[in-house]
Amino acid sequence: MSKPTSKHTPQPVSSKTTYALAGLAVVVVAVIVAAVVLWNRGGDEVRNDGYGPPHDPAVTVALDSDGSIVLGKPGVSKTIDLFEDPLCPACGQLETIYGQEIAEAVDTGKIAVRYRLVNFLDARSGSKDYSTRAIAANECVAQGGDGPVYGKFHSLLFTTKQPSEGGSDHSNDELAAIAKEAGAGDDVAKCITHRDRADTARAHAEASLKALNEALDNRAATPSVFIDGKKVDVNNKNWVQDAAK
């Protein structure tokens, strides 16, 4: 996938890296490009600032068998697929700028979001497995079934609580504390601290990465957004509004 162009100076948020991923029966080689997000001048302003994460009690969250986490109201006709790595700076930037606008569209029932989390940046974390552990924590919170709680947890994890590439990251106890801050109960916190979903999270992350590679001709990039199988240009600052029509 070629880098997008802009009439203004690009603002790179992560660099191109190649990763070799070994599966049980085959070796899958994926070229991972941590997305270079180009914002037009003024396009990095936070959308719907002050709205916060989804907070309508009617919003639900479901953990699918493939690890996808679906956040939205029942019966929503349009679902966006959002591929992210918990350590990806561009994913954090996307959440910071558009997360609240997405939240309002979820609250009003215009869209649902299917989060597909990948872990190719594990090696770039201080613990060397942060992305996988954060995905496991996401699954624990989603398993709790409370939509607004999951929405707040996801928002925290990708904005104010997101670690930096190459730096220190959160322990499982700290991830559990963030879940509690989002409103999760003790059972969710125990799921995180006891690493209940560690193995399944790793398998789900690899499945999501495979799906992303298939969609992008083996040049997976995060964040990537799809609607009905078609990639969305997130450099278009009105992409959430267009999705919610």
Side-chain angles (χ1 to χ4, degrees):
M1 183 182 65
S2 59
K3 294 181 181 179
T5 58
S6 171
K7 61 183 178 181
H8 300 296
T9 305
Q11 300 297 320
V13 228
S14 192
S15 57
K16 182 181 294 185
T17 314
T18 302
Y19 301 83
L21 302 174
L24 292 176
V26 295
V27 175
V28 180
V29 179
V31 177
I32 307 300
V33 180
V36 178
V37 180
L38 306 178
W39 306 106
N40 288 328
R41 185 170 298 163
D44 57 354
E45 295 176 358
V46 175
R47 311 275 289 189
N48 285 26
D49 195 17
Y51 186 86
H55 45 261
D56 189 325
V59 173
T60 63
V61 63
L63 177 62
D64 287 349
S65 60
D66 64 354
S68 301
I69 296 171
V70 182
L71 182 69
K73 288 185 172 178
V76 174
S77 60
K78 184 178 291 185
T79 300
I80 67 172
D81 288 272
L82 176 52
F83 288 81
E84 305 171 301
D85 186 303
L87 195 63
C88 161
C91 300
Q93 189 174 19
L94 185 79
E95 179 68 24
T96 297
I97 296 172
Y98 294 104
Q100 296 178 85
E101 190 172 28
I102 292 171
E104 185 174 11
V106 168
D107 275 345
T108 55
K110 293 179 179 178
I111 62 171
V113 183
R114 181 183 294 109
Y115 294 103
R116 301 292 305 271
L117 302 177
V118 300
N119 63 350
F120 68 84
L121 288 176
D122 264 345
R124 293 286 298 156
S125 65
S127 64
K128 304 305 180 186
D129 66 351
Y130 172 72
S131 294
T132 297
R133 291 187 296 104
I135 293 170
N138 270 268
E139 293 191 5
C140 286
V141 177
Q143 194 173 238
D146 189 309
V149 168
Y150 178 76
K152 185 174 182 180
F153 177 74
H154 179 273
S155 176
L156 287 170
L157 214 60
F158 278 87
T159 57
T160 58
K161 305 291 187 180
Q162 188 184 47
S164 299
E165 276 191 79
S168 60
D169 52 63
H170 301 303
S171 67
N172 288 333
D173 286 343
E174 289 169 335
L175 286 168
I178 296 171
K180 295 278 282 186
E181 182 180 343
D186 291 339
D187 55 339
V188 171
K190 288 179 181 178
C191 175
I192 296 171
T193 57
H194 293 177
R195 300 175 63 92
D196 289 354
R197 300 200 63 85
D199 292 338
T200 53
R202 188 176 299 278
H204 290 156
E206 290 177 0
S208 292
L209 181 58
K210 181 179 179 182
L212 183 56
N213 268 298
E214 289 174 351
L216 296 178
D217 297 325
N218 287 328
R219 294 187 64 83
T222 58
S224 285
V225 180
F226 296 85
I227 298 177
D228 296 329
K230 296 180 180 179
K231 195 170 188 301
V232 174
D233 178 11
V234 295
N235 295 311
N236 167 18
K237 64 182 181 180
N238 294 319
W239 71 268
V240 178
Q241 291 181 355
D242 292 342
K245 289 180 180 177

